[in-house]
Amino acid sequence: DQQVKQNSPSLSVQEGRISILNCDYTNSMFDYFLWYKKYPAEGPTFLISISSIKDKNEDGRFTVFLNKSAKHLSLHIVPSQPGDSAVYFCAARSGLVFGAGTILRVKS
Amino acid sequence: DVKVTQSSRYLVKRTGEKVFLECVQDMDHENMFWYRQDPGLGLRLIYFSYDVKMKEKGDIPEGYSVSREKKERFSLILESASTNQTSMYLCASSPPSGRYTQYFGPGTRLTVL
C-alpha cells in the first residue's frame, strides 16, 4: 500500500501562472517531507522540504504547504516557467518513501 | 561539489545473466540507497545501507542483493536478471540524519532481453 500518493500523473500549466502539485500521505508519524525535481536522463534533485512543526516553507518561487490534519501537502510554483517542466516527486521519511510523481508541463 | 556517480548510463543484458550496478559517492556520506523508477510507480526503494557492511531491505528487495565493502561504494546485484527488472535504477546518498536530503546519481537504464 502506497504511503505517499501523488494522484495526478500530469499537470499542464501556462507560463507565468501558478502550478500546484499535490501529495497525500497515510502515516501520521511522518514528520519531514521533501520535494524533488527530475529531468529526463538525470537523477532527482532536491527542491524544498518541510518539517511537520511548520505549515509552510518558502524558497523563492517555490512554496510547500503542509496540512497535518488532512495528511496533505502541496507544492506551489509561482510564476511557472518552461524550465520547471519536469517530474516532481514527493517524499517522506528521508527518502525511504516516494510518491509516484507528477509530470509538470509548463507551456510558453 | 557533491557527486554521485553510477558505472553505466545504459546497460543491456540477457535473461539469466548476473548484473552488477555500481555507485560511488564522494561526500563521505554514511547512508546509501538503491531505487528503481518505473512509470506510474515512482521511485521504489530496493535496499539501503547505513554503514559499511550494513544493509537493510527496502520495499522491493526480491531478486536483488547489495554489497557495501567501502563507505563510498554501494553495489546492486541482480543474481539472475529477468525481463521484469528492466527499469531505471537510481543510486543516492545522504548524511546520517533523518532530516538531510539525498543526492542522486544520474541513473542506469537497464534493459533485460
Side-chain angles (χ1 to χ4, degrees):
Chain A
D1 187 29
Q2 279 192 305
Q3 298 186 66
V4 174
K5 297 180 183 179
Q6 294 177 255
N7 292 317
S8 299
S10 65
L11 176 67
S12 186
V13 171
Q14 199 67 35
E15 181 180 6
R17 306 295 289 268
I18 185 171
S19 297
I20 300 176
L21 296 97
N22 294 303
C23 178
D24 296 296
Y25 61 97
T26 57
N27 191 333
S28 56
M29 298 300 291
F30 289 165
D31 64 353
Y32 194 70
F33 303 89
L34 309 96
W35 285 93
Y36 287 84
K37 178 167 78 172
K38 184 183 185 299
Y39 293 117
E42 294 182 15
T45 54
F46 169 74
L47 193 56
I48 193 168
S49 62
I50 189 165
S51 165
S52 60
I53 62 172
K54 293 185 174 183
D55 55 16
K56 177 182 174 181
N57 188 29
E58 198 169 352
D59 184 2
R61 297 185 297 115
F62 302 92
T63 303
V64 56
F65 295 91
L66 176 61
N67 182 333
K68 282 186 292 183
S69 61
K71 296 194 187 70
H72 177 83
L73 61 156
S74 60
L75 174 68
H76 293 213
I77 306 173
V78 183
S80 301
Q81 299 174 354
D84 296 329
S85 298
V87 181
Y88 289 78
F89 292 101
C90 171
R93 286 184 66 205
S94 298
L96 296 184
V97 183
F98 276 80
T102 297
I103 300 170
L104 174 65
R105 296 186 186 91
V106 180
K107 299 176 287 186
S108 55
Chain B
D1 196 17
V2 163
K3 201 162 187 183
V4 178
T5 56
Q6 295 183 230
S7 51
S8 305
R9 293 301 299 270
Y10 300 94
L11 210 52
V12 179
K13 296 292 182 180
R14 297 219 172 263
T15 301
E17 279 192 77
K18 191 168 186 175
V19 182
F20 292 87
L21 301 182
E22 305 284 340
C23 175
V24 177
Q25 50 99 0
D26 65 0
M27 296 160 283
D28 202 36
H29 285 166
E30 278 73 9
N31 301 335
M32 295 189 76
F33 308 80
W34 275 107
Y35 298 86
R36 59 179 284 177
Q37 182 195 358
D38 300 288
L41 297 175
L43 273 66
R44 292 181 293 165
L45 182 64
I46 305 171
Y47 268 98
F48 60 103
S49 168
Y50 288 132
D51 203 348
V52 175
K53 296 194 185 295
M54 296 186 71
K55 60 185 179 183
E56 297 285 342
K57 292 181 180 179
D59 297 321
I60 52 165
E62 297 78 18
Y64 303 94
S65 63
V66 290
S67 172
R68 189 149 181 222
E69 296 296 318
K70 293 184 177 182
K71 189 176 186 180
E72 67 270 18
R73 188 179 297 270
F74 192 34
S75 302
L76 181 68
I77 303 153
L78 287 67
E79 295 288 343
S80 178
S82 63
T83 54
N84 63 12
Q85 292 178 310
T86 291
S87 186
M88 169 68 81
Y89 289 88
L90 291 159
C91 174
S93 73
S94 72
S97 163
R99 298 298 177 91
Y100 283 105
T101 64
Q102 294 169 302
Y103 296 88
F104 283 85
T108 296
R109 169 68 67 184
L110 173 66
T111 302
V112 182
L113 301 175

